[in-house]
Amino acid sequence: MRHRRNPPPARAYEPPLPLTPRPAHAHTQHPPPPAPSAARRMRSPLLPERHGQRGRRGSTCAPGRRKRRPRRGASRSGAAPAGHRTRVSSSWFLPGGKEQERCPMAARGKVAAFNLPPLPTVGEIIKLFRLQAQKQLSQNFLLDLRLTDKIVRQAGKLKNAHVCEVGPGPGGITRSILNADVEQLLLVEKDPRFIPGLQMLSEAAPGKVRIVHGDILTFKMEKAFPKHLKKNWEDEPPNIHIIGNLPFSVSTPLIIKWLENVSKKNGPFIYGRTQMTLTFQKEVAERLTANTGGKQRSRLSIMSQHLCTVENRFVIPGQAFVPKPEVDVAVVHFTPLVQPKIQQPFELVEKVVRSAFQFRRKHCFRGIETLFPESERLKKTEELMMAADVDPTLRPFQLSMSHFRNLCNTYRKMCEEDPSLFAYNYREELKQKKRQHLPKSISQTEQTEEEN
Ligand SMILES: C[S@@+](CC[C@H](N)C(=O)[O-])C[C@H]1O[C@@H](n2cnc3c(N)ncnc32)[C@H](O)[C@@H]1O
């Protein structure tokens, strides 16, 4: 869980740029909150300024006159807190929308050719719409656009790509995605307070952005992209990417759901091997990518690595976020494998892997035996370990992918021989025993060490 520290107080804000937040035309389930009154008085930055109208910094936008370029990397308002300088495009538009100068990063070739017109910084958007981070939604924002660019670069080339960003919030990563010259960007955001700010970005990139106010855990990804983008599973991945910096409380259940989708080739994977670039708490990222014998080797390691190539790309220190979470964050990239390493149904693999890691520090047979009802536990566990050629005294984290493959294949055969076996649930048996007030058996007194 991310924790909020010293949330900035909501206060009236006078943005340095003229802008008029407009009501979102997003697919909202609820109307967005009213824009702050200070904002209502201002004009849109996307509209040409009136003749003679001066910005707060005294810039003139008279036709044909070139606007003064701000200092490189300087926040136009100082809105970003110290240490979180926000980089914005410095391209300027003359009346009529003619571009004068380009973003300094684009000029150095670091970001693709698309340039957003002048916009308030992410920090300014946060102040303008009073987007205080909400603890219940574990919100921590990235304001440094060099970092958001770096996250987006992990997805690979995004020119003409169709991208879904999950949890765009105030839109830092969103800007970097748009700067990468994508064809279409779908934003799925749960918190309605962010919709007007996202709508502003949408207006800055006409025709490119679609905003959905909804929950990514229930959003139907199978209809999110045009059908013509579909690729065969064996082909190269489609030009579709999922990118997101979600709260940890959402990113872990979401990746488990998406791994199941990979296994079943549904959800975002009906389009083929859609790639994902997502952030996780650093320790979760280490579990996702841990090798055999590694300290962090866990259920997540097997479930992710048997279905995807998983790469832990880089760590973002907690202090890069506003407010600062108490943990560091890592960016992880997933590409679904053409052939899963364990060719068994997701539920079966999940059950075997979960059982194996039930008692992390004990010999692996201790967890594996929970696959079988008490009456035949010892015999069946021996049978499984022998047939799968797995040393029962190995610890769960010492089991390799091929050990798990053998265990799953053998367990599948045992389930085919005894169709009631797969339905057996160790935890259910424990609960029933407790309900019946049976004398404590060893299995009842022992604490399971399953990962959460
Ligand atoms: C950690 S913040 C990151 C915001 C932004 N991407 C950034 O990097 O600054 C997570 C964002 O995800 C949104 N969010 C949380 N749960 C969500 C869900 N289930 N579906 C969609 N968005 C969600 C939050 O409202 C918030 O905007």
Side-chain angles (χ1 to χ4, degrees):
M1 285 287 283
R2 295 178 182 187
H3 297 285
R4 194 154 59 90
R5 202 197 272 182
N6 301 333
R11 55 196 152 106
Y13 172 66
E14 286 188 41
L17 288 172
L19 38 101
T20 309
R22 297 185 198 153
H25 307 297
H27 307 278
T28 50
Q29 289 155 9
H30 309 289
S37 58
R40 255 185 246 127
R41 284 188 255 116
M42 292 171 240
R43 280 171 53 75
S44 166
L46 312 175
L47 299 174
E49 286 186 328
R50 290 192 202 101
H51 283 223
Q53 187 183 12
R54 277 176 168 266
R56 282 171 63 87
R57 285 178 182 267
S59 57
T60 52
C61 281
R65 192 152 167 196
R66 203 174 162 115
K67 197 166 181 176
R68 203 184 303 147
R69 188 178 175 150
R71 270 181 297 116
R72 180 182 278 186
S75 163
R76 288 188 212 156
S77 66
H84 298 280
R85 290 169 67 149
T86 310
R87 189 183 287 265
V88 290
S89 161
S90 66
S91 62
W92 299 98
F93 280 69
L94 285 173
K98 191 167 171 253
E99 196 177 348
Q100 278 281 297
E101 288 180 21
R102 291 193 163 264
C103 161
M105 290 190 81
R108 293 202 308 272
K110 283 198 172 177
V111 176
F114 187 80
N115 286 279
L116 290 166
L119 286 166
T121 63
V122 181
E124 286 162 3
I125 295 242
I126 289 171
K127 287 193 174 183
L128 174 64
F129 294 103
R130 298 181 187 181
L131 302 175
Q132 266 191 317
Q134 280 191 359
K135 206 170 177 181
Q136 319 84 282
L137 289 177
S138 309
Q139 292 171 342
N140 305 90
F141 307 134
L142 278 172
L143 306 187
D144 183 343
L145 296 194
R146 282 164 304 185
L147 251 181
T148 57
D149 280 348
K150 189 171 175 189
I151 295 173
V152 170
R153 278 202 299 276
Q154 306 311 312
K157 272 195 178 168
L158 290 185
K159 192 167 167 56
N160 300 328
H162 288 243
V163 178
C164 172
E165 187 194 350
V166 288
I173 295 176
T174 318
R175 290 173 192 230
S176 297
I177 297 172
L178 286 171
N179 277 328
D181 205 8
V182 297
E183 179 76 22
Q184 280 283 317
L185 174 57
L186 168 66
L187 304 173
V188 183
E189 174 56 61
K190 189 174 179 182
D191 185 341
R193 297 174 308 141
F194 293 113
I195 304 296
L198 295 172
Q199 187 62 33
M200 238 164 131
L201 280 181
S202 162
E203 287 173 13
K208 280 189 188 276
V209 182
R210 212 155 35 106
I211 304 169
V212 172
H213 169 218
D215 187 334
I216 192 62
L217 290 166
T218 52
F219 180 68
K220 298 262 175 281
M221 288 289 269
E222 39 283 87
K223 290 188 183 146
F225 306 103
K227 279 188 193 145
H228 70 83
L229 297 174
K230 277 189 184 177
K231 289 263 177 99
N232 292 324
W233 193 261
E234 299 71 27
D235 293 345
E236 284 299 295
N239 203 5
I240 297 176
H241 294 260
I242 299 173
I243 300 178
N245 171 31
L246 278 168
F248 305 137
S249 54
V250 179
S251 55
T252 306
L254 189 62
I255 194 60
I256 291 169
K257 175 181 147 109
W258 279 343
L259 288 171
E260 182 169 358
N261 290 155
V262 171
S263 164
K264 295 178 177 165
K265 299 180 185 160
N266 59 19
F269 308 98
I270 62 156
Y271 297 92
R273 295 184 295 123
T274 300
Q275 297 175 72
M276 302 178 278
T277 309
L278 303 168
T279 60
F280 295 89
Q281 182 177 332
K282 187 170 151 258
E283 290 73 19
V284 176
E286 285 168 359
R287 283 193 217 162
L288 283 162
T289 52
N291 293 323
T292 312
K295 225 173 94 186
Q296 300 285 0
R297 183 79 159 178
S298 64
R299 180 165 64 104
L300 266 185
S301 327
I302 311 301
M303 295 313 292
S304 59
Q305 293 170 35
H306 104 82
L307 289 162
C308 295
T309 303
V310 193
E311 292 166 272
N312 191 342
R313 292 290 177 84
F314 72 99
V315 173
I316 310 175
Q319 58 265 30
F321 294 84
V322 180
K324 177 186 170 300
E326 278 163 14
V327 291
D328 292 336
V329 173
V331 179
V332 183
H333 186 265
F334 300 81
T335 310
L337 291 165
V338 173
Q339 282 287 1
K341 291 188 178 152
I342 304 173
Q343 295 188 24
Q344 295 296 349
F346 183 86
E347 291 78 4
L348 185 139
V349 181
E350 230 267 321
K351 188 172 181 193
V352 172
V353 176
R354 184 190 288 275
S355 303
F357 281 100
Q358 188 105 263
F359 304 101
R360 262 192 81 78
R361 278 165 285 200
K362 303 227 160 51
H363 291 151
C364 67
F365 81 87
R366 213 25 220 95
I368 298 286
E369 68 178 6
T370 64
L371 286 168
F372 305 105
E374 202 167 6
S375 53
E376 49 183 6
R377 190 163 285 157
L378 200 60
K379 186 174 141 274
K380 292 274 184 190
T381 307
E382 270 176 20
E383 192 184 321
L384 171 59
M385 306 294 271
M386 288 268 284
D389 196 19
V390 175
D391 175 353
T393 63
L394 287 174
R395 313 279 161 179
F397 60 89
Q398 293 172 315
L399 297 177
S400 66
M401 192 59 82
S402 59
H403 283 139
F404 276 105
R405 184 191 306 123
N406 292 352
L407 285 169
C408 290
N409 291 345
T410 311
Y411 179 64
R412 166 81 185 256
K413 279 187 201 142
M414 293 171 90
C415 288
E416 279 166 359
E417 283 162 17
D418 174 3
S420 68
L421 184 57
F422 189 70
Y424 169 70
N425 185 326
Y426 171 75
R427 283 173 171 268
E428 207 40 59
E429 191 178 77
L430 274 190
K431 272 190 214 157
Q432 273 179 17
K433 274 188 187 171
K434 271 188 189 162
R435 262 184 248 127
Q436 291 162 7
H437 300 293
L438 286 177
K440 280 185 184 175
S441 71
I442 296 170
S443 57
Q444 278 177 295
T445 51
E446 227 159 1
Q447 284 281 310
T448 64
E449 298 170 48
E450 195 186 15
E451 319 158 58
N452 63 38

